Amino acid sequence: NYLYNSNESIILNTIDYFDQNALVNSDEIYTTYVGRHNAQFGFVGNLSKNHVVGLEGYTSHVDTDAENDGIITVFDNGEQTETGRALVSRVDENKLYTATLNYTWTLDTLNSNFKFFADYAKQNVKRPSTTVSTYENGLLEDNTERNNSVANTLIYSAQADLEKYLVQGFKLETGAKLTYTDRENGLLSDQLIDGGWTPTGRTNVFNYSELVSAGYASLSKKITEKVFLKIGLRVENTELEKQDLTDTEPINQNYTNWFPNAYLSKDIKNDRTVSVSYSKRLRRPPFYFLSNNAVKVNDFRYELGNPDLIPANVHNFEISIKEKKQNFNIYLQQTTEAINGIYYLEGQVAFYRKFNEGVQQQFGISYNRFGDLTKWWNVRGAINVYNRKFISDGEDSFEQLSARLNLTNSFKINSTSTIDLMLNYQSKSADAYYISYPFYGANLMFQKMFLDKKLTCRIYVLDVFNTFVDNNERPFENFKTVTNYKWITQEVRLWVSYNFNGKNKVNKRKNESKNDVRGRL
């Protein structure tokens, strides 16, 4: 397939320096042009009666041209002192290649099975950008800076799983996994001085390798006719080697994490199930956060990567009541070594970077309902009310009670025609050093079927009222940033599908990738 997309965003950004009684406004128009082509080929087949093998290859090539044209206005003690322009030009190239091998062996008539997965991924990314800053009054010097970031990644992954039904109704699930990642990051940063390029001091080359060895086991059983229990444990060892090639000594880390999980449920009358669960998992940072990339937005704002990030630990506790057409959940999620985006000042320059800091805690109640209200009206709705706060050095901050609502109404006009109205709302919410203000939106979809329901046509209208805007602020001790971000969210889309019915059933077996690291690319 091939995709070409362009979009234009209007970004209003303000940096308010409390101690200096100064203000910098940036009025930006951000334009992107994205071209992407993908190719995928695979097969799944039976080697013999109980043996299935599959192989699949995939490639993706994405080119992005982006331009951020910003008008800069500087205020000192309430008076405008300078006006300028910052023009950022960026050309990204992202090439991805993956391959996966699947093998399944059915061991007995109870469908006990052994599965093996092998995955490979290779990615090459180039992110060159140039920022040209010019000023009218001469209080600030005109300048040109370029930052060229390169990242090359290789991932090898293998996993073996055994699912075995034992005596007395026990079910054992166990397996092992090995993943090796090698990543090279390079940043060339220069400033144009007297007609020649001079290094800014941020130029470096950074190598990152990661070997993760994991094993897991879980045991489940229906204790009584109505009570089900499952307990499990995953053990994961990580070996890291990080080296900035400007230094002589690499940084080596070796640590082991334990991830228990438990689930207990009981069926009660009227198709109602009550369950309690706990799980712990590791949330590893995306590789883009770990890169030594640098993007200069203007002379007052930079966005930087952080190679020193470590994974966050996420604990989930949940009590759930499920029925045929609705479910209700109470949950607590706590994240330690949380990864948060933080600005810090050097003079009047604000640098944005991801850091591991503090604990994020969220306690919430969610309710979902789905089903027919009448013969012609189907409703699917979800509401989540939650309290979220950030804990650092034993003190609570950024505590906010928030709500999220999603509602889909499907109206049946006749046997071949439907109209869907989708509504969503997010109230004011907060995170560490981040406050987001409310937004809401509505989408429409009209569907009509023809030719004995083989031909389906849909028209989508997205963000009907053009209301989706990201308004947020990031408050700190000495300054804060305020951003109003609006991109093209209104869209009309035509979707057409034709279903060819044959005499034989379609085999929908697919290859499955177990390469979790690929999601971090």
Side-chain angles (χ1 to χ4, degrees), residues 98 146 213 251 326 334 368 406 414 449 487 516:
T98 70
R146 67 181 184 184
S213 309
I251 299 173
Q326 60 185 350
Q334 182 162 296
N368 296 268
N406 295 284
N414 52 46
M449 305 178 78
W487 59 98
D516 300 332

Side-chain angles (χ1 to χ4, degrees), residues 507-519:
N507 191 328
K508 295 184 178 180
R509 292 183 302 189
K510 293 183 178 180
N511 289 302
E512 184 179 1
S513 173
K514 292 291 185 176
N515 188 354
D516 300 332
V517 182
R518 178 179 167 183

Side-chain angles (χ1 to χ4, degrees), residues 452-463:
D452 196 25
K453 297 184 179 182
K454 292 182 180 180
L455 177 66
T456 303
C457 298
R458 293 178 187 169
I459 296 177
Y460 294 87
V461 182
L462 306 183
D463 196 9

Side-chain angles (χ1 to χ4, degrees), residues 31-155:
T31 308
T32 57
Y33 304 92
V34 180
R36 184 190 72 198
H37 54 85
N38 302 340
Q40 183 174 349
F41 177 79
F43 71 87
V44 182
N46 289 76
L47 293 177
S48 61
K49 182 179 178 181
N50 295 321
H51 300 268
V52 179
V53 67
L55 184 65
E56 186 172 282
Y58 172 83
T59 178
S60 173
H61 190 174
V62 183
D63 291 315
T64 303
D65 290 344
E67 184 177 272
N68 191 14
D69 194 352
I71 303 300
I72 310 297
T73 311
V74 182
F75 295 87
D76 191 2
N77 292 310
E79 293 187 10
Q80 182 176 327
T81 58
E82 184 63 277
T83 300
R85 182 188 182 197
L87 181 63
V88 184
S89 301
R90 201 180 85 236
V91 180
D92 292 359
E93 183 181 271
N94 186 335
K95 296 179 180 179
L96 176 65
Y97 309 91
T98 70
T100 182
L101 170 68
N102 289 188
Y103 168 71
T104 301
W105 176 15
T106 302
L107 301 174
D108 53 37
T109 56
L110 298 175
N111 284 326
S112 299
N113 61 79
F114 170 80
K115 294 182 178 181
F116 177 77
F117 307 87
D119 285 280
Y120 164 82
K122 177 182 179 182
Q123 185 191 49
N124 302 110
V125 179
K126 297 179 181 178
R127 293 190 177 99
S129 66
T130 302
T131 305
V132 180
S133 300
T134 56
Y135 298 95
E136 293 183 0
N137 300 334
L139 296 179
L140 297 171
E141 293 185 4
D142 298 349
N143 64 86
T144 300
E145 182 176 317
R146 67 181 184 184
N147 291 280
N148 187 4
S149 178
V150 177
N152 299 313
T153 308
L154 282 173
I155 306 171

Side-chain angles (χ1 to χ4, degrees), residues 133-361:
S133 300
T134 56
Y135 298 95
E136 293 183 0
N137 300 334
L139 296 179
L140 297 171
E141 293 185 4
D142 298 349
N143 64 86
T144 300
E145 182 176 317
R146 67 181 184 184
N147 291 280
N148 187 4
S149 178
V150 177
N152 299 313
T153 308
L154 282 173
I155 306 171
Y156 302 93
S157 176
Q159 178 169 336
D161 294 335
L162 175 65
E163 183 179 341
K164 180 68 175 176
Y165 291 88
L166 307 175
V167 294
Q168 297 182 341
F170 283 97
K171 179 182 176 182
L172 173 67
E173 295 173 88
T174 185
K177 184 174 184 178
L178 190 68
T179 304
Y180 176 74
T181 305
D182 184 72
R183 184 172 171 90
E184 179 184 87
N185 302 274
L187 173 65
L188 177 63
S189 181
D190 299 299
Q191 191 169 14
L192 189 62
I193 299 177
D194 296 329
W197 292 102
T198 302
T200 63
R202 283 188 293 273
T203 295
N204 62 75
V205 177
F206 172 77
N207 286 347
Y208 176 96
S209 64
E210 176 184 274
L211 177 63
V212 179
S213 309
Y216 79 92
S218 70
L219 196 63
S220 60
K221 175 179 170 55
K222 207 166 184 179
I223 299 175
T224 68
E225 185 179 345
K226 295 184 177 182
V227 178
F228 175 80
L229 175 66
K230 181 176 181 178
I231 57 174
L233 179 66
R234 177 182 173 89
V235 183
E236 193 172 279
N237 176 262
T238 303
E239 295 181 45
L240 290 178
E241 182 176 300
K242 299 184 287 185
Q243 183 174 19
D244 186 335
L245 296 188
T246 59
D247 297 330
T248 55
E249 293 295 328
I251 299 173
N252 294 298
Q253 297 178 4
N254 190 316
Y255 56 88
T256 300
N257 289 292
W258 301 76
F259 303 99
N261 63 83
Y263 175 84
L264 175 66
S265 69
K266 182 178 181 180
D267 295 333
I268 52 182
K269 61 181 181 179
N270 299 326
D271 295 323
R272 182 179 298 169
T273 302
V274 178
S275 64
V276 180
S277 65
Y278 165 76
S279 66
K280 178 188 175 185
R281 59 188 175 88
L282 207 63
R283 183 183 294 164
R284 299 181 186 275
F287 286 121
Y288 181 73
F289 292 176
L290 291 168
S291 297
N292 52 355
N293 57 287
V295 176
K296 179 180 179 181
V297 181
N298 53 52
D299 284 332
F300 301 91
R301 218 164 85 234
Y302 282 77
E303 297 178 359
L304 306 176
N306 184 1
D308 297 324
L309 286 174
I310 62 174
N313 287 284
V314 183
H315 301 264
N316 287 293
F317 306 84
E318 184 173 312
I319 300 174
S320 177
I321 302 174
K322 295 183 179 180
E323 295 182 359
K324 188 175 181 180
K325 294 185 177 181
Q326 60 185 350
N327 58 66
F328 175 81
N329 300 286
I330 300 176
Y331 67 90
L332 173 65
Q333 183 181 90
Q334 182 162 296
T335 305
T336 60
E337 303 292 351
I339 299 173
N340 295 300
I342 299 175
Y343 276 103
Y344 61 93
L345 283 183
E346 291 185 6
Q348 283 193 331
V349 182
F351 293 90
Y352 177 77
R353 204 175 194 185
K354 299 287 186 179
F355 291 92
N356 291 99
E357 183 175 340
V359 175
Q360 288 168 320
Q361 190 178 92

